[in-house]
Amino acid sequence: MSTPNGPDQKIVITAATGRLGRLVVAELLNQGLPAGNIAAAVRSPQTAASLAELGVEIRHADYTEPQTLGPAFAGADRLLLIPSAEYGQRFPQMKNAIDAAVKANVSQIAYTSFVNTPVSTLRLADEHKQAEAYVVRSGLPFTFLRNGGYTELYTGELGDIGPALDSGVMYGCAGEGRVSGATRADLAAAAARVLLGAVGSGQAHAAANNGRVYELGGTAFSLHEVAAEFSRQSGRPLRYQDLSVGEYAETLTTQGLPREFADLLADTSLAVSNGDWFTTSNDLEQLIERPAVPLADVIATQLRAF
């Protein structure tokens, strides 16, 4: 196996055409890793043309087709394993990927999950708990990158802030809970630093990172604060109204969301009130060596997109 910081280093990024994966690839390039040292493992190679143009190697990797995973992970010094968004299928898919990583003799896995995964009450965290346990049982050196909630999801990425500003009310069931939110770009920067060996190189990197868990959250905010900041920047009145989890799910369905998705979003909001999205860890800022992007900046970007 090649030296992790040597000229033949190969970092494989799964889901590399997704929102987070693309940002990780961009960060690796920005931080000086040659494009030829990056392999983008993607379900549909034809969607990765822009990465190929940069010189990134494109490999076919479909979590539901185990036979594609071994070749995709071959020669990987480090593998960033980003789960799909397919609720109910994540763990079977991750099991396929982890088994393939073992057979391919991958030097190290970095797996992305949620902050507070072991104790989270979040329904979406269940498969992360299973996947983390399976990674540990695999025997491969590993690092867990437990991502905080994407700040963008709380500032209208799902298209809900326009109607909220029109009505003057933003709904949820988060109570007074706080979210240690982080932008995808910050989380991608942290992942790139870990993959490149921000805490060591070669055997030192492997030793320092084997079993290492990073809880990656930014400065915490409540949904009341999200509404207040939107109101301040837009000049339009907006307040947060707390509902029961059932009422919030019903509200989401009246806005056109499928019931199953509405239930998951309501459960995610409820998890805020349980403290599942809050962390006091400063791992994120230590890795990226700067303050995390604040809520106000994300809201400013979102308002410019209207």
Side-chain angles (χ1 to χ4, degrees), residues 26-39:
E27 276 294 329
L28 290 172
L29 294 171
N30 288 341
Q31 293 183 32
L33 186 67
N37 291 45
I38 304 170

Side-chain angles (χ1 to χ4, degrees), residues 1 8 52 66 94 121 134 147 166 190 202 219 222 274 276 298:
M1 185 62 64
D8 297 324
M94 290 301 93
T121 65
Y134 201 74
N147 290 341
D166 290 340
T219 302
S222 70
N274 294 332
D276 292 336
V298 181

Side-chain angles (χ1 to χ4, degrees), residues 11-41:
I11 294 178
V12 178
I13 311 296
T14 64
T17 53
R19 293 181 181 183
L20 180 62
R22 280 188 181 273
L23 289 172
V24 174
V25 172
E27 276 294 329
L28 290 172
L29 294 171
N30 288 341
Q31 293 183 32
L33 186 67
N37 291 45
I38 304 170

Side-chain angles (χ1 to χ4, degrees), residues 113 118 132 142-146 208-216 281 283:
S113 57
E132 284 194 0
F142 69 89
T143 303
F144 291 150
L145 303 172
R146 292 182 179 155
N209 280 276
N210 187 22
R212 182 73 183 267
V213 176
Y214 294 96
E215 299 281 352
L216 302 173
S281 169
D283 286 346

